[in-house]
């Protein structure tokens, strides 16, 4: 159905030129799910745009985008209008942004139904509701009247899928449908696409930067690197025995809940200005030889639709390198650097009473040399916890002390004793301050002399493996990875007692993420300070945390040594999280499946998870759950002892 | 319901602002040099005459007493008595406010409609000749001083072409229009006076045109910019990528999304337009609010100045309130 | 490899917007530079002083001793048009600069501190904004006299509220930004945050609005002069020159008020073009 | 415009062209109540035409124009107004059959009520009555329905002049209907409702825009209004008045000055009525405020003023130079001892004589007065050459009024005409201590003496002698710099006839007529 042949797109703008795609060829058949993976900027979205004939202005495209025999690139306006939606429909990368903010989602869906399925009036409303229901939206009649901003991220993504499906396309394109969603949701959303291919016989092109997460639902994968296809093949094959060094690097960069270590590949993806005459991966490739650097490898066909563009295909199956942890650091009890006691945080609404209860009684303790992992779904209060520790929000009850000092009563210098690394690497650097200025900020507060400041900034920079030349740059001139290194350098430069990492890698590309994780693992291992590492991605925590706490709607639901919690989860919520985390190689079906999305309203009484937990009883609904010791870890669920049995039952 | 609560809350917020305006104006007119009493007395008046006149207007009272009296009057809708004319300010003001509001409302309404239409047209043809031409022309209009433009329009429209009535009023008195609101076109419509309607409309053309030309550019720029933003937005691209027809795109996805930011700007423009009518009123012999307020100020007619500033401020804040409500209606994201 | 029969498909557009924006900025800038030069070198460019009265008489036609003739007072129109640029541009630019400084300061404080400070400051701003321009102008002129500085004050007072609002809105979004939190956790003082982080970043919209505002300030000044509330005669100022010459136009003596009118128009246009160009560029960057 | 002229409806309802005259004025009147109005020329002009004034100036011919004769005051609505032998009791006899618009006949009670009201008002009329010894309501006595007596405290030569501008009468029967306890004189009602009973009645008034006057058919006198309908429209911008006059949309433009007048002389269909006037343009120097408290500095300025140039540049040579502080055409005018003319050397010398090389001052003028502004500019330029730096200060009416009463203005331009063409009156108003128009704060014992003497001097020659003396004293003291006496000009459509030049600046519309 879709048959892209030798598609090259060069975008010409005054003063710069980008070869977004170079000689890309692949095809999608009806009923087939094809994954398109690669790092940010690899050209994935460009492929999607080419398929619907919406290349950005200034594009020069060659080659052919065949669709049911016609060439999309050369369609006239009328043909394009027909092709878009009915032929190929995209689910956009950022569903919230892709929904028109001033029109109800129902109207938007009906617009599609009317246009492409010729429906009218009540009939359209009816099928809109049906479509909503079929993508898993509860209470569709009411949701039809919602505006996009009233939807949660997961809900918006579902609406987006229903919009695309509403066009009844032959080819459904999903551009990063799961980025930014929680693990539990990701799995569910991906299943939707598989479903579309299987039941409606649609072709599906699934675009993602994260191979691991989409691998499960794809029939075939296409790996893009710098606008070129480096490897294509059946999903299982490419995942288990990737032949291209880049595919292998990509896979190894993904942290693994099983405890597999990330192996970082140095360097970043090049921005090409013209179709390459060499292997674009060569500079980062451990196997590269001279031929790689001078000649572009042809795409060679291997067995069963497997093709590859590499002079040095690798053959060994990708083995999981298990981390040998240096446990000594954890056992060596240092002084206490952080103590949080029964902290509550309420965000007050601007008018009247009420507010949002973001943290509900959290207690923590952390010593130097220790690393505490904090995990939980989006919105569970992780960032609030970080801000609380940093003194950026005031606890409405309870106490927080850093290095023995109550955070509320700290002087300017004492405030620098705790440092934070932020989620958004570029956004956390002041746009009009140079890198040197940003890094030196904590030193300025500590009244360090100018000369001393420069020296220490350089030292911190050196540790981040960055060059001095970067010091005079401004944040917008940095890549995400560089910016995050600067952020870490800034946290380190004042030799603080405590460093809080708030999802430091979630905004980064897979391979860059691996690099940063290595740096962080190194920093966290320092005995001089304690670290708190916050992540929604369980796997990243496993690599180097000593202990881990699991947050759910502002409460700690489980806590314990990292291996214990990961290998023997007690709380149903932890189990669900771990179960839905994608794993390379083995597909691990979740043993606990949560119903519904995270909803703040659920936190009212009793166990917060009650509304979503498959094992819920009346006791759960009425009784507040507190942390109880179960083996080495503690969990806030009274049914823990019964769970293995219950899970076994639901299995059969 | 929520809207009402919002409006209620905002109205409460207006109280300190209006009170501030009241206090500030009250003090300001009194610290200004110039004696309102002297300007109504002949040159032969003695100090005793002046004192009598001062007493007549309560200006012999201590300042705090004057202020309390004024404030008390405001609560009962009594704006005091004009020193110049000796008649109640509220009556005079009612006669003057109508014509000016009529002028400004019509002009801003036309400018807004024109801006929406041209702005979207222009954005859809972004960076083509038509777009550039429209924008440059709007900028030109925006750069001409209103009084100058007014004169040119009179020279062309009245003196040279004779298409429009003489710039000496708002309606032909021969049409025997019964004034109700002071806004002649409205009055003509209300009383069903056909000739007056035609005459009032003819008198409105040039002053309205002057104002429209003056305020079009910022509105146009805003509409065009937000239309472009919408056109470049993912949301619009998504709708287009799903092959929705032009009409649906324009109506459902472009227009309303474009307009969300307009109300507050329109309010601002309305505010400045009220301010600048004083010039247009002069040029077109439009005996409106601005001329009245200006004259009051020149003769230090305290009650007139106080009332006119308060009313302008009130119009201003109310218009902003309306803009916020319209914004809330247009943009579902606004939480009120 | 590329199919030789398939010629590349070119999707047009792309950079025209930038070219237009650049053209706007260049043309606007050029106009202003010329105007500024004219203002600076006015005495060199004209034989007559701006308030020098030609004993030969009034309303001389252009040409001869007077390039653009003389006005109703017997003063050289060309010289006055040039010299007026000093007053008009000077007052407009100074007033806007003052408004920017004051407005930004207020906006920064209100936006960052929030709470009652914000409420109080913004109510004051509301009061000023709701106050009619001409009354404010007359009040200031009557109170302080009508000199250059006072007109600057007046026009600044009229414009400052807009900047306060603009900056406040900007600061309110910026203060939630990660880098402000980062600065706080790095021990930056309040002053440091305001001065080093919020100020430079909140000025982006101000930079775009300020030139537009300069044009508007010139029109306000001209309007004030037209009503006799602006610059005192015989100081050369475009607004008062136009106002003096209105009846001359009706009589066909275009030279007394058309040249100052054109000068005003062109300068305001210069500011508008510049502002529009900057706006366009900012918008393009945002897209 | 062609547009509205060709509008058949407006033509139809306006009746035959000759029955209607259209006049443009610059502003709308601020109030209809003459007892409480400020100095508002538009209002005062309208009052002259809508209030019944018992006596008024007669008409005389000067050159080829007709002017109001201030020396000849005749009864109009009154049958007669004559003094007793002591000149202390004046008897006003009313015409019978004069009707107000309400239908009420004008009677002595109306006069009495009106005068009571004026005294109670403590405003305009009460102020000027003081000069003729009328201070209390009891001094006005009703004799019978048509006879009223005014009992003055002392005899005065100015009684007729003062009463000419003060003896207007309200419809008291109607007024009492609108009086309340809080407002016994119906001020509120009169502020908004036009008085009736004058030569014209206001048949329609559109606030701020137009006033329609129709001739009072209830006036039994011989000199009733010549035109049945006069429409007065408000057109603030002089340029607009001019355009409308050119287009024939108005017949008389009362707001056109300066260059426009010269231009209009050349326009088809328009004529400019011109007449010599007693309007005097001067610069008053405060003799009690520095720097003009020094007579040499005053002299320096008097030499530095470019008289000829002002007449040329400001008045297009349509003004008469004068060489005395007494206006031209005033009996007794003499140029004796008046040395001043434009001479910068003498100016510098005079300044040097004062011991100063440079002085500075503000020069105040009316903010909305183009002529004064132009004069100020010309004076400033020349004075600077003589070492006198002048800062031009336009003042709005309120500030000007306040500062004038404080007598704190060092230098100001004044324009004005004396309502009584007599030097005694001039001294009374301008040159004796405390006189209302004596903004210079000038006082000279000799002048005071002459002034007192003049009260009792009736012999013409003797008075002339006194006036010559006055003029030479004033020429030495130079409290004023007399600039010139501009001629009066009025642009009208060619069809307009009957214009009588008002020596008080307030047009008497009853004389106006238009040929069809
Ligand atoms: N409108 C555009 N103008 C110029 N260059 C563009 C444009 N859109 C994309 N590019 C460039 O084209 C290349 C491919 O971009 P594309 O959006 O396809 O990447 P992607 O793989 O989808 O990345 P991501 O994971 O970030 O979505 C990038 O180098 C990008 O900078
Ligand atoms: N300033 C605020 N005012 C009101 N509510 C807030 C505020 N900040 C956060 N919240 C709410 O508090 C809850 C917890 O927010 P928090 O940012 O801590 O979540 P998180 O776990 O960090 O989520 P994410 O993974 O998306 O970063 C969320 O529901 C959020 O909407
Ligand atoms: Mg993409
Ligand atoms: Mg977070």
């Amino acid at each position: 159905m879709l048959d892209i042949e030798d598609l090259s797109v060069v975008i010409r703008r005054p003063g710069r030129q980008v070869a977004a795609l170079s000689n890309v060829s692949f095809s999608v058949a009806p009923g087939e799910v094809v994954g398109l993976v690669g790092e940010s900027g690899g050209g994935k979205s460009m492929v999607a745009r080419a398929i619907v004939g919406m290349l950005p202005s200034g594009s020069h495209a060659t080659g052919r985008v065949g669709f049911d025999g016609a060439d999309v690139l050369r369609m006239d306006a009328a043909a394009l209008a027909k092709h878009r939606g009915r032929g190929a429909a995209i689910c956009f990368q950022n569903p919230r942004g892709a929904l028109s903010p001033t029109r109800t989602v129902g109207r938007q869906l009906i617009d599609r139904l009317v246009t492409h399925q010729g429906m009218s009036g009540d009939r359209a409303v009816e099928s809109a509701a049906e479509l909503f229901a079929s993508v898993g939206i509860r209470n569709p009649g009411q949701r039809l009247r919602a505006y996009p901003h009233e939807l949660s991220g997961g809900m918006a993504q579902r609406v987006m899928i229903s919009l695309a499906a509403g066009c009844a396309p032959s080819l459904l394109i999903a551009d990063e449908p799961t980025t930014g969603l929680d693990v539990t949701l990701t799995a569910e959303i991906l299943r939707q696409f598989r479903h579309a291919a299987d039941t409606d016989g649609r072709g599906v092109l699934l675009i993602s930067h994260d191979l691991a997460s989409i691998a499960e639902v794809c029939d075939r994968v296409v790996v893009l690197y710098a606008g070129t296809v480096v490897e294509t093949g059946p999903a299982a094959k490419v995942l288990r025995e990737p032949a291209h060094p880049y595919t292998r690097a990509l896979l190894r960069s993904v942290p693994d809940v099983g405890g597999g270590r990330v192996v970082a590949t140095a360097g970043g993806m090049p921005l090409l200005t013209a179709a390459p005459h060499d292997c674009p991966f060569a500079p980062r490739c451990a196997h590269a030889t001279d031929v790689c650097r001078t000649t572009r490898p042809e795409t060679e066909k291997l067995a069963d639709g497997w093709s590859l563009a590499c002079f040095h295909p690798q053959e060994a199956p990708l083995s999981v390198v298990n981390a040998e942890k240096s446990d000594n650091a954890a056992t060596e009890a240092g002084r206490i650097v952080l103590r949080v006691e029964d902290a509550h945080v309420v965000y007050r609404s601007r008018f009247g009473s009420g507010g949002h209860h973001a943290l509900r009684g959290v207690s923590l303790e952390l010593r130097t040399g220790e690393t505490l992992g904090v995990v939980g779904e989006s919105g569970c209060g992780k960032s609030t916890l970080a801000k609380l520790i940093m003194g950026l929000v005031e606890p409405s009850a309870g106490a927080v002390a850093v290095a023995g000092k109550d955070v509320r009563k700290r002087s300017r210098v004492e405030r620098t004793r705790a440092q934070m690394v932020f989620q958004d690497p570029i956004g956390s650097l002041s746009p009009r301050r140079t890198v040197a200025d940003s890094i030196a900020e904590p030193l300025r507060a500590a009244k360090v002399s100018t000369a001393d400041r420069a020296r220490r900034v350089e030292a911190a920079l050196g540790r981040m493996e960055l060059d001095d030349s970067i010091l005079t740059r401004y944040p917008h001139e940095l890549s995400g990875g560089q910016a995050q290194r600067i952020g870490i350098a800034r946290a380190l430069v004042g030799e603080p007692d405590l460093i809080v990492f708030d999802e430091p890698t979630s905004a980064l590309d897979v391979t860059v993420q691996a690099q940063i994780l290595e740096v962080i693992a190194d920093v966290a291992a320092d005995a001089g300070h304690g670290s708190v590492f916050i992540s929604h991605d369980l796997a990243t925590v496993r690599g180097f945390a000593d202990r881990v706490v699991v947050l759910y709607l502002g409460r700690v639901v489980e806590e314990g040594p990292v291996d214990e919690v990961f290998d023997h989860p007690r709380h149903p919520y932890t189990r669900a999280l771990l179960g839905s985390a994608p794993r390379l190689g083995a597909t691990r079906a979740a043993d606990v499946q949560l119903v519904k999305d995270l909803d703040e309203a659920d936190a009212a009484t009793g166990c917060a998870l009650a509304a979503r937990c498959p094992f819920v009883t009346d006791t759960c609904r009425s009784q507040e759950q507190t942390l109880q010791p179960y083996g080495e870890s503690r969990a806030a669920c009274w049914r823990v002892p019964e769970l293995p049995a219950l899970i076994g039952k639901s299995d059969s | 319901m929520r809207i009402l609560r919002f409006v209620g809350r905002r109205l409460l917020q207006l109280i300190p602002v209006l009170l501030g305006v009241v206090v500030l104006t009250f003090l300001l007119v009194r610290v200004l040099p110039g004696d309102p009493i002297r300007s109504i007395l002949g040159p032969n008046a003695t100090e005793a005459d002046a004192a009598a006149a001062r007493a007549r207007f309560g200006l012999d009272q201590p300042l705090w007493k004057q202020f309390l009296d004024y404030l008390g009057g405001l609560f009962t809708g009594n704006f005091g008595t004009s020193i110049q004319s000796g008649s109640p300010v509220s009556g005079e003001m009612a006669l003057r406010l109508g014509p000016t509001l009529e002028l400004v409302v019509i002009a801003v309404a036309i400018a807004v409609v024109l801006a929406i239409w041209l702005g979207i047209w222009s954005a859809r043809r972004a960076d083509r000749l038509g777009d550039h031409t429209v924008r440059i022309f709007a900028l030109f209009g925006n750069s001409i001083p209103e009084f100058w433009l007014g004169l040119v329009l009179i020279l062309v429209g009245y003196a040279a072409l004779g298409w429009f009535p003489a710039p000496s009023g708002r309606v032909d008195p021969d049409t025997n229009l019964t004034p109700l609101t002071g806004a002649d076109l409205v009055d003509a419509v209300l009383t069903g006076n056909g000739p007056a309607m035609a005459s009032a409309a003819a008198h409105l053309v040039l002053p309205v045109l002057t104002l429209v030309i003056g305020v079009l550019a910022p509105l146009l720029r805003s509409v065009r910019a937000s239309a472009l933003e919408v056109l470049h937005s993912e949301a619009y691209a998504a709708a287009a990528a799903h092959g929705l027809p032009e009409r649906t795109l324009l109506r459902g996805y472009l227009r309303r999304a474009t307009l969300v930011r307009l109300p507050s700007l329109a309010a601002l423009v309305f505010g400045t337009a009220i301010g600048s009518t004083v010039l247009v009123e002069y040029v077109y012999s439009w005996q409106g609010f601005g001329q009245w307020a200006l004259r009051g100020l020149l003769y230090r007619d305290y009650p007139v100045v106080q009332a006119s500033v308060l009313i302008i401020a009130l119009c201003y804040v109310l218009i902003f309130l309306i803009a916020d409500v319209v914004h809330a209606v247009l943009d579902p994201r606004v939480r009120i | 490899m590329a199919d030789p029969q398939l010629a590349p498909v070119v999707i047009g557009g792309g950079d025209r917007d930038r070219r237009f924006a650049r053209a706007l900025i260049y043309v606007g800038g050029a106009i202003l530079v010329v105007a500024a030069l004219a203002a600076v070198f006015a005495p060199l460019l004209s034989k007559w002083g701006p308030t020098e009265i030609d004993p030969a008489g009034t309303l001389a036609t252009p040409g001869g001793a007077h390039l653009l003739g003389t006005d109703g007072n017997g003063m050289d129109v060309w010289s006055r048009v040039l010299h007026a640029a000093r007053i008009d541009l000077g007052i407009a630019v100074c007033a806007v600069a003052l408004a920017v400084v004051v407005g930004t300061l207020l906006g920064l404080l209100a936006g960052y501190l929030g709470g009652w400070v914000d409420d109080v400051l913004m109510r004051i701003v509301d009061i000023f904004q709701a106050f009619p321009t001409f009354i404010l102008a007359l009040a200031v002129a009557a109170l302080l006299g009508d000199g250059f500085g006072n007109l600057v004050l007046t026009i600044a007072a009229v414009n400052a509220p807009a900047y306060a609002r603009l900056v406040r809105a900007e600061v309110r979004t910026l203060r939630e930004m990660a880098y402000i939190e980062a600065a706080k956790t790095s021990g930056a003082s309040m002053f440091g945050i305001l001065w080093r982080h919020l100020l430079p970043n909140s000025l982006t919209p101000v930079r775009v609005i300020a030139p537009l505002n300069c044009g508007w300030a010139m029109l306000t000044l001209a309007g004030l002069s037209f009503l006799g509330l602006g610059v005192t005669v015989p100081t050369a100022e475009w607004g008062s020159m136009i106002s003096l010459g209105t009846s001359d136009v009706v009589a066909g003596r275009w030279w007394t008020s058309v040249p100052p009118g054109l000068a005003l128009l062109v300068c305001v246009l210069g500011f508008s073009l510049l502002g529009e160009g900057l706006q366009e560029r900012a918008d393009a960057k945002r897209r | 415009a062609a547009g509205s002229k060709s509008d058949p409806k407006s033509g139809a309802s306006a009746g035959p062209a000759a029955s209607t005259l259209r006049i443009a004025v610059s502003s709308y009147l601020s109030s209809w109540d003459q007892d409480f109005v400020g100095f508002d020329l538009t209002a005062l002009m309208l009052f002259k035409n809508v209030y019944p004034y018992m006596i008024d100036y007669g008409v005389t011919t000067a050159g080829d124009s007709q002017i109001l004769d201030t020396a000849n005051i005749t009864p109009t609505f009154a049958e007669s107004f004559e003094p007793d032998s002591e000149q202390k009791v004046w008897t006003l006899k009313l015409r019978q059959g004069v009707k107000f618009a309400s239908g009420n006949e004008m009677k002595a009670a109306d006069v009495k009520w009106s005068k009571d009201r004026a005294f109670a008002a403590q405003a305009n009329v009460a102020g000027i009555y003081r000069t003729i010894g009328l201070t209390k309501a009891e001094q006005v006595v009703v004799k019978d329905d048509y006879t009223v007596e005014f009992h003055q405290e002392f005899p005065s030569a100015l009684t007729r002049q003062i009463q000419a501008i003060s003896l207007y009468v309200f419809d008291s029967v109607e007024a009492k209907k609108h009086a309340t306890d809080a407002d016994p004189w119906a001020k509120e009602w009169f502020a908004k409702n036009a008085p009736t009973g004058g030569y014209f009645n206001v048949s329609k008034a559109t606030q701020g825009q137009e006033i329609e006057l129709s001739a009072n058919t209830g006036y039994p006198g011989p000199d009733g209004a010549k035109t049945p309908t006069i429409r007065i429209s408000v057109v603030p911008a002089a340029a607009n008045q001019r355009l409308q006059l050119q287009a024939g949309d108005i017949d008389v433009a009362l707001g056109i000055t300066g260059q426009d007048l010269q231009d209009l002389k050349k326009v088809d269909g328009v004529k400019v009525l011109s007449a010599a006037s007693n309007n005097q343009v001067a610069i008053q120097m405060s003799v009690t405020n520095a720097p003009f408290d020094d007579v040499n500095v005053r002299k320096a300025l008097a030499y530095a003023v470019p008289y000829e140039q002002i007449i040329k540049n400001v008045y297009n040579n349509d003004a008469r130079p004068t060489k005395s502080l007494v206006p031209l055409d005033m009996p007794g005018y003499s140029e004796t001892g008046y040395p001043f003319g434009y001479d910068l050397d003498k100016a510098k010398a005079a300044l040097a004589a004062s011991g100063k090389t440079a002085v500075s001052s503000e020069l105040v003028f009316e903010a909305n007065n183009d002529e004064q502004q132009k004069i100020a500019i010309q004076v400033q330029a020349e004075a600077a050459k003589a070492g006198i730096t002048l800062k031009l200060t336009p003042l709005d009416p309120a500030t000007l009024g306040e500062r004038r009463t404080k007598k704190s203005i060092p230098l100001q331009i004044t324009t004005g005409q004396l309502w009584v063409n007599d030097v005694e009156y001039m001294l009374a108003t301008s040159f004796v201590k405390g006189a209302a128009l004596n903004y210079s704060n000038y006082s000279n014992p000799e002048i005071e003496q002459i002034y007192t003497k003049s009260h009792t001097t009736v012999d013409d020659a003797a008075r002339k002698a006194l006036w010559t003396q006055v003029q030479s004293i004033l020429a030495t003291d130079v409290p004023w710099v007399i600039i010139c006496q501009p001629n009066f000009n009025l642009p009208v459509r060619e069809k307009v006839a009957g214009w009588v030049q008002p020596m008080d600046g307030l047009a008497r519309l009853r004389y106006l007529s238009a040929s069809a």
Side-chain angles (χ1 to χ4, degrees), chain A residues 606-607 609-611 613-623 625 637-639 642 646:
Chain A
C607 175
L609 191 64
C613 182
F615 313 116
V616 66
T617 67
D618 286 345
T619 323
C620 298
R621 291 201 186 90
S622 58
Q623 232 162 46
Q625 298 294 311
C637 177
W638 66 280
R639 295 194 86 186
E642 310 165 34
L646 287 168

Side-chain angles (χ1 to χ4, degrees), chain A residues 382-383 423 502-503:
Chain A
K382 304 183 298 292
S383 297
Q423 178 165 10
D502 185 7
E503 311 212 23

Side-chain angles (χ1 to χ4, degrees), chain C residues 160-205:
Chain C
Y163 290 103
R165 272 175 197 291
L166 201 65
V167 171
R168 172 178 172 273
E170 198 70 14
V171 167
R172 281 172 70 90
T173 35
L174 289 183
R175 74 171 184 182
E176 308 292 332
M177 298 292 248
Y179 64 87
I180 298 300
E181 297 196 333
K184 281 190 203 161
T185 62
S186 298
S189 60
M190 185 185 115
F191 177 79
I193 289 177
L194 284 177
W195 180 252
R196 289 162 48 80
H197 300 289
L198 287 175
L199 180 65
N201 291 306
S202 57
L203 286 183
T204 317

Side-chain angles (χ1 to χ4, degrees), chain A residues 316-335:
Chain A
L318 202 62
S319 60
V320 174
V321 192
N322 264 315
E324 346 83 54
K325 267 233 174 103
S326 48
D327 293 30
N328 48 348
T331 49
E332 225 179 85
R335 64 198 161 90

Side-chain angles (χ1 to χ4, degrees), chain D residues 405-447:
Chain D
T405 41
K406 283 192 198 142
K407 310 248 188 247
S408 67
I409 304 175
L411 204 60
Q412 60 184 310
I413 301 181
T414 58
T415 331
Q417 51 202 154
L418 291 168
W419 289 348
V420 181
N421 204 18
D422 183 83
V423 180
E424 184 189 347
Y425 183 79
M426 183 187 87
L427 292 178
T429 53
S430 311
F431 291 105
V432 297
K433 208 172 157 114
L437 303 179
N438 184 359
Y439 305 131
S440 303
N441 216 6
Y442 175 73
S443 76
N444 181 319
E446 280 183 79
I447 295 271

